[in-house]
């Protein structure tokens, strides 16, 4: 099953949905701003992305810039807790297939990732 961690407010997420629809693939949309993330989900995403938590954060996001809790965090587990609390700060969209995931920026990378 293909999963798309999606924020419908952002054009890259909407474009990813268009691409998946054109490919006529079964996939599940996860609107992570509504559902949030558990720490286990974030750990799994890190592993599938082959990234540490600090590598898929949107550092220019207002929430990140204005939150003193984010400053000088060196422990991955603490950062995952904050991402769980503020899911808006992740890079998106994220496409997951099996044990692999990718940040679909640009969305056209989905084709190479899935095939």
């Amino acid at each position: 099953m293909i999963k798309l961690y999606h924020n419908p407010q952002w054009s890259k997420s909407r474009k990813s949905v268009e691409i998946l629809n054109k490919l006529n693939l079964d996939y599940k949309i996860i609107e992570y701003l509504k559902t949030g993330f558990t720490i286990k989900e974030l750990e799994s995403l890190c592993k599938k992305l082959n990234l540490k938590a600090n590598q898929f954060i949107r550092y220019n996001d207002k929430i990140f810039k204005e939150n003193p809790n984010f400053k000088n965090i060196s422990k991955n587990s603490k950062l995952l807790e904050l991402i769980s609390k503020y899911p808006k700060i992740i890079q998106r969209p994220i496409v997951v297939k099996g044990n692999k995931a990718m940040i679909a920026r640009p969305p056209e990378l989905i084709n190479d990732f899935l095939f």
Side-chain angles (χ1 to χ4, degrees):
M1 169 62 74
I2 298 166
K3 296 179 186 176
L4 174 67
Y5 288 89
H6 174 62
N7 179 345
Q9 295 178 341
W10 297 101
S11 62
K12 303 269 189 252
S13 279
R14 292 191 306 269
K15 180 69 174 173
S16 296
V17 169
E18 287 177 28
I19 290 169
L20 289 169
N21 286 340
K22 284 181 183 177
L23 293 172
N24 201 27
L25 298 170
D26 288 331
Y27 66 97
K28 179 180 179 181
I29 290 179
I30 300 166
E31 289 191 39
Y32 62 90
L33 293 180
K34 291 180 182 178
T35 63
F37 290 106
T38 66
I39 300 298
K40 279 192 169 201
E41 286 174 313
L42 289 169
E43 288 171 340
S44 176
L45 273 178
C46 284
K47 188 174 183 177
K48 290 174 182 180
L49 287 164
N50 196 28
L51 298 173
K52 292 183 179 180
N54 66 345
Q55 295 175 298
F56 69 104
I57 289 177
R58 296 177 60 243
Y59 289 99
N60 290 329
D61 191 281
K62 182 179 177 181
I63 293 171
F64 183 84
K65 286 182 174 181
E66 294 179 356
N67 193 323
N69 294 324
F70 287 109
K71 305 292 187 243
N72 301 317
I73 293 177
S74 59
K75 285 193 158 194
N76 201 51
S77 60
K78 289 288 185 192
L79 197 48
L80 291 176
E81 288 175 25
L82 289 171
I83 294 170
S84 178
K85 189 173 179 179
Y86 304 102
K88 188 177 179 185
I89 67 166
I90 67 163
Q91 294 284 346
R92 80 272 177 207
I94 297 174
V95 179
V96 177
K97 181 181 179 189
N99 291 324
K100 300 282 184 190
M102 57 93 64
I103 298 168
R105 293 183 72 138
E108 291 77 17
L109 293 174
I110 291 172
N111 290 307
D112 294 335
F113 175 70
L114 294 177
F115 299 106

